[in-house]
Structure formats: structure tokens, C-alpha cells
Amino acid sequence: MRPEGTVEYNSLSWVKKQLDTVLSDAQSVLSEFIENNDDTDSLEQCIDHLRLVYGTLQMVEVYGAAMLAEEMEATAQALLDGKVEKPEDAFDVLMRAMLQLPDYLEGLQAGNKDAPIVLMPLMNDLRAARKEKLLSESVLFLPDIDVVEATVPAPESEVTEAGKLAGEAKRLRTHY
């Protein structure tokens, strides 16, 4: 766990086992659908499981994993609606996502930062299966701006005398 014990990591530890169980159930019903494409009830159950995972991750404020779960749900829904041109590719990437999400959550519990950019290739694979526009790094880049502090040297005098502004600007230029 993270040393500072933030809320999202503590909350994640409360629901991690249930999330693993729900993801395992989603995998099994997706496998049933892959074996028998006529059984849409299995795919609907998979979508329900993924919706539960998404909602839980949103609730515990693990947004990177929640974004992945949302993409997984959207891909499963597109499969159900028949909007996927290559269902085999979508099945493959959905299974990969269901296997990678628990590992990502374990990493968070081990102290890693929730970084959606790590999941971007997988999310883009899910989006590509649906022929959606791919995500760019700028969408997922979330720097921690609270850490950055401005280090501006304090002025030596409150008022710069007339005519000395240019000299003062040259002196301060090296600080910037």
C-alpha cells in the first residue's frame, strides 16, 4: 500500500477480491458466448459484469482502471449490437483486458500510481475493434501539478529605481 494511505487505495483493498471474482465471471460468460455465438444472454451477462466493475472502480476513484472497464463494456456492447467487423479480434482484446485489469489493480495496491497512460495501448486496441477514434497521450496525461512549486527569487528591493529596470532585468534573466 502507499505510505500516505490515500482513500482510493484503501477503498480498492476493500473491493479487490470482489472485482477479481466479477472479472472472472465475465471471462467465463464471454467464453461461453465465444463457443456459442447464438447465446446472447451470455454476452449480456458479460456486459452486466463489466458495468459492475466500471461502477465500482469509479466509486473507489481508480480512474485509469475505470476507463479501461468502460472501454471493455463498450466493446462488449458493440459485439452484442453487431457493430464489430472482426469479432474474433474483439474477443481476443476483451480477454486480454480482463486478464490485465487485475494485474493493474494489484500494482496499485503495491503502491504504483494510477496512470491511465499505461493502459492506453489496450484501450486503443479495444477502440480499434469498434472502429472508434484512438486515444492520444495528451488525453491521458495528468501531471501532478500540486508538487511543482514556483521558485522565484525574492526581489532585493520593493521598488526599482527609474532607469535601472533594464539592468535589473538582465540580472534576473539568469534565474529564469
Side-chain angles (χ1 to χ4, degrees), residues 75-172:
T75 302
Q77 186 64 51
L79 280 166
L80 182 66
D81 296 341
K83 296 181 180 177
V84 177
E85 290 178 16
K86 297 180 180 178
E88 296 79 21
D89 293 344
F91 294 145
D92 179 51
V93 73
L94 263 175
M95 281 298 193
R96 276 191 300 132
M98 287 182 196
L99 293 171
Q100 268 190 298
L101 185 56
D103 293 340
Y104 181 78
L105 295 175
E106 285 175 19
L108 293 179
Q109 283 187 305
N112 296 340
K113 188 171 174 59
D114 184 19
I117 201 153
V118 172
L119 299 170
M120 187 179 71
L122 191 54
M123 286 189 274
N124 278 338
D125 287 347
L126 289 164
R127 293 177 73 83
R130 299 189 321 263
K131 301 290 185 198
E132 293 281 327
K133 183 178 175 189
L134 302 182
L135 298 173
S136 67
E137 291 176 353
S138 63
V139 172
L140 302 177
F141 179 66
L142 303 168
D144 188 4
I145 59 174
D146 294 334
V147 176
V148 178
E149 295 180 18
T151 55
V152 178
E156 293 177 8
S157 66
E158 293 296 320
V159 179
T160 304
E161 295 179 27
K164 294 187 177 183
L165 184 59
E168 187 69 13
K170 285 180 184 178
R171 183 184 73 78
L172 291 175

